Amino acid sequence: MMPLELLTPGERGEITEIHHCGGCGGGCHSHGHQHGQGHHHRKSTATRAEEMGLRVGKQVEVLNNEGNLLLLLVDEARIAIDRRMARSIKVKGISA
């Protein structure tokens, strides 16, 4: 598994994990926060990534990976996410 941000244009992956607590905009794990310190983890609350259609088991294709944004193809939708969010999503590569 690797972070989504490491896929190059044309590569596809299947989402295996999304690290996000929902209370701080998605950067908990990369900023050293821990659940229960200043905000609460609520499993029933969809993460921002999930609201955008990025869920465990979904297949994504990277269309563009330049600058701070990644352009993804998820199902039939094009979705732009920032690099911080892409870093928190783990994928396994899919052969074409």
Side-chain angles (χ1 to χ4, degrees):
M1 290 186 299
M2 67 179 131
L4 176 58
E5 74 171 332
L6 295 181
L7 293 181
T8 59
E11 284 189 299
R12 295 176 44 195
E14 179 180 331
I15 298 173
T16 58
E17 297 177 40
I18 300 175
H19 294 281
H20 186 295
C21 74
C24 67
C28 274
H29 298 281
S30 61
H31 287 91
H33 298 349
Q34 293 185 13
H35 295 270
Q37 292 182 353
H39 54 271
H40 301 285
H41 179 61
R42 288 176 268 171
K43 287 190 177 228
S44 62
T45 303
T47 66
R48 178 75 179 122
E50 290 170 335
E51 290 172 353
M52 298 172 72
L54 300 170
R55 292 182 175 81
V56 172
K58 281 282 189 180
Q59 293 184 9
V60 299
E61 180 180 345
V62 176
L63 300 175
N64 193 345
N65 186 352
E66 295 180 17
N68 191 42
L69 293 177
L70 279 79
L71 182 61
L72 307 173
L73 183 62
V74 181
D75 295 326
E76 298 297 319
R78 291 178 182 217
I79 299 171
I81 64 172
D82 68 19
R83 193 157 298 281
R84 186 175 77 178
M85 183 182 288
R87 193 173 301 129
S88 71
I89 299 171
K90 304 295 185 221
V91 297
K92 64 179 179 181
I94 298 174
S95 301

